[in-house]
Amino acid sequence: MAGLLLVGIPGAAQADDVNRSGNYVVPKGRTIDGNLTVRGGTITIHGKVDGNVRQIGKGSVIISASGEVDGNVVESGTGYVRVRGEVDGNVVERNAGSVWIYRTGEVDGNVTESGTGHVYIRGEVDGNVTESGKGHLYLYGTAEVDGNASEKNAGNLYTYRGAEVDGNIKESGTGSRIRR
């Protein structure tokens, strides 16, 4: 009986992970049902990824206004992360690159930069925003952060008039908190 039940499970429930080297584009209208990992290239998402996105090595992650990621975005190379679309998980930059969340960008999780890059928030972040490397954190006038915003190392924390942060704003490193 149990064997018959397993036969009835549709094959579409399995994820189709994509692993590539070099630049990779997810075109508008296309959905990847699984994780997307690219080594040594830039990922550009105009369509949808139903999984996590990971970029390793030289390259960046670009999520256009029509792009959507139903998972986490991790960039661990020398590139950057730019979000104009939607990320339903966390955005993590672990090396020399910066993170940009544009006015049209929405991140449902946390935004973290732990390398030498900066964090620029102009859009919406439902979680916390943390810059714990040597870079600066910029909260522009159109920024909406539902959690905390913190800069924890040598960089400065810039807060522009109009920025909305529901949690705490904290500069705990050697840098300064600067209001504009």
Side-chain angles (χ1 to χ4, degrees), residues 1-9:
M1 183 82 132
L4 291 175
L5 289 174
L6 288 175
V7 171
I9 296 174

Side-chain angles (χ1 to χ4, degrees), residues 69-170:
V69 176
D70 286 341
N72 299 317
V73 174
V74 178
E75 199 286 319
S76 57
T78 58
Y80 52 79
V81 177
R82 295 186 179 184
V83 178
R84 288 184 169 91
E86 186 176 334
V87 176
D88 289 339
N90 301 314
V91 173
V92 178
E93 209 306 312
R94 292 189 176 139
N95 206 328
S98 295
V99 177
W100 283 268
I101 309 299
Y102 291 89
R103 287 182 99 171
T104 58
E106 297 178 27
V107 177
D108 289 343
N110 300 315
V111 174
T112 306
E113 196 288 322
S114 58
T116 58
H118 307 297
V119 177
Y120 305 92
I121 306 293
R122 287 188 159 97
E124 294 181 34
V125 178
D126 290 343
N128 298 318
V129 177
T130 306
E131 199 296 313
S132 60
K134 295 180 180 179
H136 304 297
L137 170 56
Y138 297 88
L139 301 170
Y140 290 98
T142 55
E144 295 181 29
V145 178
D146 289 346
N148 300 317
S150 59
E151 197 292 318
K152 297 182 176 182
N153 204 328
N156 295 324
L157 192 156
Y158 295 90
T159 306
Y160 289 78
R161 184 174 294 132
E164 296 179 22
V165 177
D166 291 343
N168 296 315
I169 300 174
K170 186 175 182 180

Side-chain angles (χ1 to χ4, degrees), residues 42-46 60-64 67 80-84:
T42 295
I43 302 169
T44 305
I45 300 171
H46 300 291
S60 300
V61 178
I62 301 167
I63 302 167
S64 73
Y80 52 79
V81 177
R82 295 186 179 184
V83 178
R84 288 184 169 91

